[in-house]
Structure formats: C-alpha cells, structure tokens
Amino acid sequence: MSALILALIAGAVVGLALGALGGGGSVLAVPALIYLLGFTPAAATTAGLIIVTATSVTALYSHARTGNVRWKAGALFAAAGLLPAAAAGAAAARVPQPVLTAAFAAIAALAAVRMLRPNRTDTGPATGQARPARAAGTGAGLGALTGLLGVGGGFLAVPALVTVLVFEMQAAVGTSLLVISANSLASLATRGATTAGIDWAVIGPFTGTAILGAWDGKRLATKVTGTLLQRTFAMVLLFVAAFMLIDALT
C-alpha cells in the first residue's frame, strides 16, 4: 500500500478521534507516522504537532459555532502550559529515540486506562469551585507533555476541565481544543529547525483527511454513545502502547 493511501487512512482515523472525543487523535498520529510511514520518533512528534494543530483549530471552530468553548477559562488554562510546551519542545530533540518511544507508549497506555475506567464525569459536578492552583499545575503539565511528545493532551485535558474547572462534558470537549491548539503552536514555535526534514507530500494529505475526519467525528459523537466511543478507542490505544513498548525495549 502506498504512503499516500496510508496517510489518508491514518488521517481520517485521527480526525475522527479528535472530533468525537475532544482529544486522543495525536496518540494515534505519532505511531502511525513511525510504523506506517517510516518517520523517526523525533520527526514524527514534530509532524504530529503540525497535524494536531491544524486539526484542533478546525475542530475548535466547529465547537465554537455551537457555543461549546469557554474562551476566558480555557485561555487561562492554556496560558499555564505555553512556557512548558515551548521548553519541552526545544528539549525533545535531545531525548534518545528509544526513550521517546517508551515515554509515548506509557502515555498511550495511560490514556487507554483513563478511557476504560467508569466515566463519572459525563455531565460534570453539580456544585463545587474550581481550584486555580491545581488548574495551573494541570495546564503546565499538559503543555510539557505536548512539547515533548507531540501530543495535544486532550485525553487528559477533558477530564481535567471537568473535575478541576467544573465544566460540563460538552464544554470540556470544546474548550480542550483551545488548550490543545495553544500548546501545539507554542511547541511548534521552538521546533522550526526540525521541520526541515518533514515530508510534506505525506503530511499534507494526512492533515487534510484529519481535518475532514474531525468534522465527521463531531457528528458521530451525537449519534453514538460516548462510552462506546471511548472503549473502542481505548482498546486500540492499548494495542498501540504494547507494540511501541516492545519496540522500544528490543
């Protein structure tokens, strides 16, 4: 199968996940770039950021039109992650590739476990107060994760926005895309030199189908239960995490 066809298929899957779940697409994008399209881990994390940024901005626009984005709170949450994202992005090139692969596998496994746990936050707490210090710490951690591993962190941002900032689920999904977009742009700003080796003939179609898939994913989320989507995606992530960890250790 040609690289172009593989890029189109992978992009569609990534976009569907991001549009339907508000995150998680980049956890599949990077492994697809490495194992299906032959990118090195370092190049894949940079390319993953490009794909995630473009797709997240597009999905953000869609959610904003339906009023699912809380701009002020989301901007403050994202602001805490900008410097960590930039710093981690600059440091990523110095991390050995097996370490990068193993770290990514661990994050993918964590995402899968979180999705398989009983969902107690579909509508958010009825009462409670947001905790600014915890929100800032969570935002900073998501930024560092984005910069180092090229993931948007939506699979962590959504539950954090629900539990820490007391958002209902739809607002958390929409606002997470604002956080992902900001962190990804900050990390990309420090990776300018590493984009020279990116194969745009592959990344362009990958990004295009991811953007289209994100629109379809948003529509899919209104027709399929969130629990089914999360469990299906979690099983795929577990398989990917196991494969990457074995690869890193051999």
Side-chain angles (χ1 to χ4, degrees):
M1 191 176 295
S2 71
L4 176 59
I5 294 175
L6 289 173
L8 292 172
I9 294 172
V13 173
V14 167
L16 280 171
L18 194 59
L21 302 175
S26 54
V27 185
L28 284 180
V30 172
L33 290 165
I34 294 173
Y35 297 109
L36 295 180
L37 299 170
F39 282 58
T40 66
T45 56
T46 300
L49 282 171
I50 296 170
I51 294 164
V52 168
T53 300
T55 309
S56 297
V57 170
T58 303
L60 174 63
Y61 172 74
S62 175
H63 280 270
R65 290 182 62 189
T66 56
N68 289 333
V69 181
R70 296 190 179 178
W71 295 98
K72 184 176 179 180
L76 292 173
F77 191 88
L82 293 181
L83 286 178
R94 302 181 180 89
V95 178
Q97 293 193 8
V99 174
L100 207 59
T101 302
F104 199 98
I107 292 299
L110 174 63
V113 170
R114 290 190 72 96
M115 290 180 178
L116 287 172
R117 288 172 60 185
N119 193 349
R120 295 168 294 181
T121 58
D122 280 346
T123 59
T127 61
Q129 297 295 322
R131 288 157 283 184
R134 185 177 173 188
T138 305
L142 289 172
L145 188 71
T146 300
L148 184 63
L149 299 180
V151 299
F155 62 90
L156 295 176
V158 171
L161 289 168
V162 171
T163 59
V164 178
L165 297 186
V166 202
F167 284 12
E168 66 276 9
M169 189 63 176
Q170 286 298 319
V173 170
T175 307
S176 76
L177 292 165
L178 173 61
V179 177
I180 293 168
S181 300
N183 286 342
S184 298
L185 285 169
S187 180
L188 274 175
T190 64
R191 290 182 180 235
T194 62
T195 61
I198 298 297
D199 186 352
W200 293 102
V202 171
I203 297 305
F206 196 124
T207 304
T209 53
I211 290 172
L212 293 175
W215 288 85
D216 290 334
K218 186 176 182 297
R219 289 194 290 268
L220 179 65
T222 65
K223 299 177 181 179
V224 181
T225 64
T227 300
L228 177 60
L229 283 172
Q230 288 191 5
R231 287 180 178 173
T232 302
F233 189 65
M235 296 307 296
V236 175
L237 280 184
L238 281 176
F239 174 79
V240 170
F243 183 85
M244 293 187 76
L245 187 59
I246 292 171
D247 181 63
L249 296 176
T250 56

